[in-house]
Amino acid sequence: MFFSSELIKGTLKTIILKLLSENKRMYGYEITQTVKELTGDKIQLTEGALYPTLHALEAEGLLTTETEYIGKRVRKYYSLSKDGKTKSLEKVNEFADFISTMKFLLDIKTKTT
Amino acid sequence: MFFSSELIKGTLKTIILKLLSENKRMYGYEITQTVKELTGDKIQLTEGALYPTLHALEAEGLLTTETEYIGKRVRKYYSLSKDGKTKSLEKVNEFADFISTMKFLLDIKTKTT
DNA sequence: TTTAAATACATATGTTTCCTATGCATTAAA
DNA sequence: TTTAATGCATAGGAAACATATGTATTTAAA
């Protein structure tokens, strides 16, 4: 992980929910690759973190799954449930509020592009 | 804590180092109150998190301490060491980079004030 | 004046969250 | 043919923070 790993803590669920809100359905490996690409390798999700989190979100009723076979290889697709869609918005808003608070606290200036 | 507590994880050291970079010396209780005020009660540091972290930063050589008595009550002031000043800048920059990455990833718009 | 709240420190134990390591298996590329 | 990439999964451990508890002084409220 490019960032000291503590920083990522607490954001993984938010990242997953947000990606699924934009993609209808994604499988685990695809999520890791998408995050890697979008962040320029700065965030690389480990499987040991990703899969247990996906299972947890499913157990919470936020995700639904469908399994497909690509040749002989299994692929498990995840989609947002109705609750998952709501939760996705909540999580992103909460994070936006959090970074707003932290920027003020840490006196961080942002380039107005 | 106003924010779901996972979010704060990984930011506590950064917050402490930043505050001390602006205040020369502060004691533990003062840090909790300052953070509480600056964030409008959104971030309330618990003692069980704060004091062990202060001790850890001191053990890492980032903080120096001086104990004073206010009447009969002890008060322990913390200041940044030379390494602490360097680390403070590093941590704040890292966090700024992190939120920049996350804003892109989560597609969060910021008001250009 | 007594009691609650605020000030001020500290630590043991627990929980959450993520990482490391490992395992299995298929497919594509070197 | 063997390494890298694809694709899933879980056991065990580490890190970070919360909860709960403890001690003690000072101030404000009842």
Side-chain angles (χ1 to χ4, degrees):
Chain A
M1 201 82 79
F2 179 89
F3 296 113
S4 70
S5 60
E6 319 94 72
L7 282 182
I8 278 74
K9 290 199 183 184
T11 64
L12 182 53
K13 284 187 178 179
T14 307
I15 291 170
I16 293 172
L17 292 172
K18 173 65 181 180
L19 284 181
L20 286 174
S21 78
E22 287 173 346
N23 288 288
K24 251 174 217 131
R25 66 175 202 169
M26 295 180 87
Y27 54 97
Y29 188 76
E30 187 184 11
I31 292 174
T32 65
Q33 296 310 302
T34 303
V35 170
K36 197 169 130 84
E37 278 168 34
L38 288 176
T39 63
D41 293 6
K42 286 181 183 173
I43 298 180
Q44 296 187 33
L45 304 184
T46 60
E47 295 164 298
L50 178 68
Y51 291 112
T53 302
L54 285 171
H55 301 162
L57 289 170
E58 190 184 1
E60 288 174 48
L62 302 176
L63 303 185
T64 58
T65 61
E66 33 183 347
T67 299
E68 284 184 18
Y69 279 88
I70 309 299
K72 287 178 182 173
R73 190 154 51 193
V74 74
R75 189 181 281 177
K76 200 167 166 187
Y77 283 98
Y78 291 88
S79 303
L80 288 187
S81 69
K82 198 181 170 186
D83 282 354
K85 286 174 192 168
T86 307
K87 195 72 173 181
S88 177
L89 292 174
E90 280 175 15
K91 281 283 199 181
V92 172
N93 286 334
E94 189 194 19
F95 190 75
D97 194 359
F98 174 67
I99 62 178
S100 165
T101 298
M102 286 298 291
K103 273 173 65 173
F104 175 73
L105 186 58
L106 299 183
D107 195 28
I108 293 171
K109 315 300 184 191
T110 315
K111 279 171 271 179
T112 41
T113 39
Chain B
M1 202 83 76
F2 177 90
F3 296 113
S4 70
S5 62
E6 321 93 71
L7 283 181
I8 277 73
K9 289 198 183 186
T11 64
L12 182 52
K13 284 188 179 179
T14 306
I15 290 170
I16 293 171
L17 291 172
K18 173 66 180 178
L19 284 181
L20 286 174
S21 78
E22 287 173 347
N23 288 287
K24 251 174 215 132
R25 66 175 203 172
M26 296 180 86
Y27 54 99
Y29 188 76
E30 186 184 12
I31 292 174
T32 65
Q33 297 310 303
T34 303
V35 169
K36 196 167 130 84
E37 278 170 36
L38 287 176
T39 64
D41 292 4
K42 286 181 182 173
I43 298 180
Q44 296 187 34
L45 305 183
T46 60
E47 296 163 297
L50 179 68
Y51 290 112
T53 301
L54 285 171
H55 300 162
L57 289 170
E58 188 184 2
E60 289 174 47
L62 302 176
L63 302 184
T64 57
T65 62
E66 32 183 347
T67 299
E68 284 184 19
Y69 279 87
I70 308 299
K72 284 178 183 174
R73 187 155 53 191
V74 74
R75 186 182 283 178
K76 201 167 164 185
Y77 282 99
Y78 291 87
S79 303
L80 289 185
S81 67
K82 197 181 171 188
D83 282 354
K85 285 175 191 168
T86 306
K87 195 73 173 180
S88 177
L89 292 173
E90 280 175 14
K91 281 283 199 182
V92 173
N93 286 334
E94 189 195 16
F95 190 75
D97 193 0
F98 174 67
I99 62 178
S100 166
T101 298
M102 286 297 293
K103 272 173 65 173
F104 175 72
L105 187 59
L106 299 183
D107 195 29
I108 294 170
K109 315 298 184 193
T110 316
K111 278 171 273 180
T112 43
T113 40

